[in-house]
Amino acid sequence: MKKKTVRCHDVLGHICEELDTKLTSARCRALKRHLEKCPNCTAYLDSLRKTITLYASSPNPRIPGKARKELFAVLKLEHRHTGRKAASHTKSR
Amino acid sequence: MSDEELIKRAKKGDERAFTQLVKKYESLVYSFAFKMCRDEDKASETWQDTFVNVFRKLHQFDGRSKFTTWLYSIVTNSCKMKRRQRKLDQASVSIEMPADNQDDPDHDHPVQTIPSWRDTPLDSVMDKELRTLLDDAIQKLPYDYRVVFVLRDVEGMSAVETGKILKLSVPAVKSRLRRARVFLREQLNPYMTT
């Protein structure tokens, strides 16, 4: 059976979809063969992966204590730290 | 106590059960809100609005989807409402251009013309310039693309789950994700190749 060949344009068009999938389908195997010999597409794929990693790994700030107090006050729930009913000074929303 | 039990009790007015639900999911909601807004104040407001809406609408949750799927849909709606109130979409740019056509269709040779990205330290040692660049780039990304990118690539939701949350088809999720990734990559490229 003749192997499907792909070109850079095909790779760049589909590379995003295949980023997080196992390269098992016929198209994916063809993409993988292309990637093994094409430094451009490999560099492009690597840069897309790094883009995702940068966003996924950038740290989050903590939930501000003030925001938590306000929420619990609005909902009239017990504040988790004080164990008392939250104060009634709610922010006007 | 399982989510199912907490939800059942909270629906009956058990404040302690609802408080447990808030505690369990507050970090997930805040993290998602911050990744969408990239601003602590806006993330806090979205976080508060989300749990107020969860409190009001919990009786509508029928258990047919995962609780987290329902929760993400509440957060995305809260985000969208906030943006409408602030008319924030004016700051983003159009990415409707066909990304596929940006590449030369005749290009098919192994000479490397796409420069490799340098390795960059992550987390706490990420430098201020890069953080600012990441913030600016995602702010420029239109909301409809940003939410797909954050749900799929940052929160790790599947295309099917993302589609359920946003009421989009799986092909639409894939298309928006591809454009979002390419757009963000282009925004970071100058910094990462110099």
Side-chain angles (χ1 to χ4, degrees), chain B residues 175-192:
Chain B
S175 168
R176 288 185 189 189
L177 180 63
R178 183 169 57 81
R179 285 167 188 254
R181 283 170 171 172
V182 169
F183 176 84
L184 292 172
R185 187 242 173 225
E186 295 304 316
Q187 296 293 307
L188 304 184
N189 192 47
Y191 177 88
M192 298 299 286

Side-chain angles (χ1 to χ4, degrees), chain B residues 135-146:
Chain B
D135 289 349
D136 289 348
I138 201 136
Q139 291 283 3
K140 285 182 191 167
L141 188 61
Y143 175 85
D144 289 342
Y145 295 84
R146 188 191 313 176

Side-chain angles (χ1 to χ4, degrees), chain B residues 17-34:
Chain B
F18 188 81
T19 305
Q20 286 300 312
L21 273 179
V22 174
K23 283 185 196 174
K24 191 168 180 182
Y25 291 105
E26 63 178 11
S27 294
L28 178 141
V29 170
Y30 188 75
S31 167
F32 178 59
F34 181 76

Side-chain angles (χ1 to χ4, degrees), chain A residues 16 39-40 47 55 57 60 93, chain B residues 31 49 113-114 123 134 181:
Chain A
C16 283
N40 271 325
S47 64
Y55 276 102
S57 62
N60 284 328
R93 302 179 64 81
Chain B
S31 167
D49 288 351
T113 53
I114 297 177
D123 297 331
L134 289 168
R181 283 170 171 172

Side-chain angles (χ1 to χ4, degrees), chain B residues 5 19 46 48 51-52 69 73 81 114 121 145 171 175 186:
Chain B
E5 187 59 30
T19 305
T46 302
Q48 290 175 328
F51 282 114
V52 169
T69 304
S73 70
M81 290 304 291
I114 297 177
Y145 295 84
S175 168
E186 295 304 316

Side-chain angles (χ1 to χ4, degrees), chain A residues 60-64 67, chain B residues 30 34 37-47:
Chain A
N60 284 328
R62 288 181 155 195
I63 302 166
Chain B
Y30 188 75
F34 181 76
C37 307
R38 308 295 297 186
D39 178 283
E40 289 187 39
D41 290 340
K42 289 171 196 163
S44 291
E45 284 181 24
T46 302
W47 179 82

